[in-house]
Amino acid sequence: MAEVPGPRRIRVLLVDDHQVVRRGLRTFLEVQEDIEVVGEAADGEEGIARAEELRPDVILMDVKMPGTDGIEALRRLRGLANPARVLIVTSFTEQRTVVPALRAGAAGYVYKDIDPDALAGAIRSVHAGHVLLQPEVAEALLAAQDDQPAGAGRPGALTEREREVLGLIADGRSNREIARALVLSEKTVKTHVSNILMKLDLSDRTQAALWAVRHGLAD
């Protein structure tokens, strides 16, 4: 009898200049039944090359690394044909580090002291299409928007349906989950998200989520 394949595991690439950190992450993640570590890299340049070669689903990446750092690597990774979701895992908490990482396209930002089980959950979350920010990170990004507000639009520019979609984005829902909650197709949800970003002059879902919090559209 032919063996029935199980669910596809989440393919993860580790990018950190400290070998002991990579070893610790690999040791923990390899015991997760639904996660597979497919490779490692010691800096951003190597991380980009490995991402092109291995096509991981999620990249765990530090920010401060010699040579090509995490921010520059993020910007370049966005240009790949099939970019992975990038979860920043770092010890740097300053606003000047958090904000550029998120604006460069990070799907999440957590600190290296995160509980191991929470890290596994974070990988699953960003792989599912969620934006994941620890509370301190969200506060830093909101503070940055106080200094230089993102989005010139106002709540009145949105339709009622777009406001509903935006509220669910702020709740961390993926397009698929939003579609289920509002009984819409994923294609329709994608259209609503694009319209929201255009109307509010925002560049990504992270900014949209924070805009929703700022304007009282989030639960």
Side-chain angles (χ1 to χ4, degrees):
M1 180 182 293
E3 183 178 345
V4 178
R8 181 177 177 276
R9 293 195 289 176
I10 302 170
R11 293 165 50 82
V12 174
L13 172 66
L14 308 177
V15 184
D16 194 293
D17 60 318
H18 293 99
Q19 184 178 11
V20 67
V21 172
R22 299 197 309 271
R23 184 177 300 167
L25 289 170
R26 177 182 282 275
T27 298
F28 169 70
L29 294 176
E30 284 183 339
V31 304
Q32 304 297 313
E33 293 184 355
D34 60 337
I35 295 174
E36 175 187 9
V37 177
V38 296
E40 300 180 17
D43 58 42
E45 192 69 36
E46 185 182 4
I48 295 166
R50 297 289 277 166
E52 290 185 288
E53 172 192 356
L54 300 170
R55 298 300 177 101
D57 301 307
V58 175
I59 299 174
L60 302 190
M61 183 151 52
D62 196 3
V63 174
K64 299 293 185 181
M65 294 181 288
T68 302
D69 64 14
I71 307 298
E72 177 60 24
L74 268 166
R75 296 190 182 109
R76 290 169 58 185
L77 283 166
R78 293 180 74 174
L80 298 184
N82 296 293
R85 303 275 287 171
V86 178
L87 176 63
I88 295 295
V89 183
T90 187
S91 56
F92 291 90
T93 61
E94 299 93 339
Q95 178 178 305
R96 59 188 173 86
T97 301
V98 172
V99 176
L102 295 173
R103 288 179 176 166
Y109 195 112
V110 299
Y111 301 136
K112 286 183 177 177
D113 61 357
I114 187 173
D115 178 85
D117 289 332
L119 177 60
I123 292 171
R124 297 181 186 109
S125 181
V126 298
H127 179 249
H130 296 218
V131 174
L132 187 123
L133 305 176
Q134 288 185 291
E136 299 90 340
V137 177
E139 289 174 7
L141 197 53
L142 283 170
Q145 289 187 348
D146 282 336
D147 296 333
Q148 188 175 2
R154 292 290 178 267
L158 303 178
T159 66
E160 186 60 34
R161 178 62 83 188
E162 288 166 351
R163 290 165 67 94
E164 290 177 326
V165 170
L166 181 55
L168 291 172
I169 290 174
D171 194 37
R173 306 286 190 91
S174 65
N175 283 355
R176 178 174 298 180
E177 290 171 329
I178 294 172
R180 289 174 180 170
L182 300 180
V183 195
L184 300 171
S185 69
E186 284 191 59
K187 182 177 180 180
T188 299
V189 172
K190 288 180 182 179
T191 299
H192 284 314
V193 173
S194 296
N195 289 340
I196 290 166
L197 297 180
M198 179 186 66
K199 288 182 178 181
L200 300 181
D201 191 24
L202 301 171
S203 61
D204 55 42
R205 295 171 75 96
T206 302
Q207 288 189 0
L210 292 166
W211 193 96
V213 171
R214 177 182 299 279
H215 290 87
L217 298 183
D219 291 335

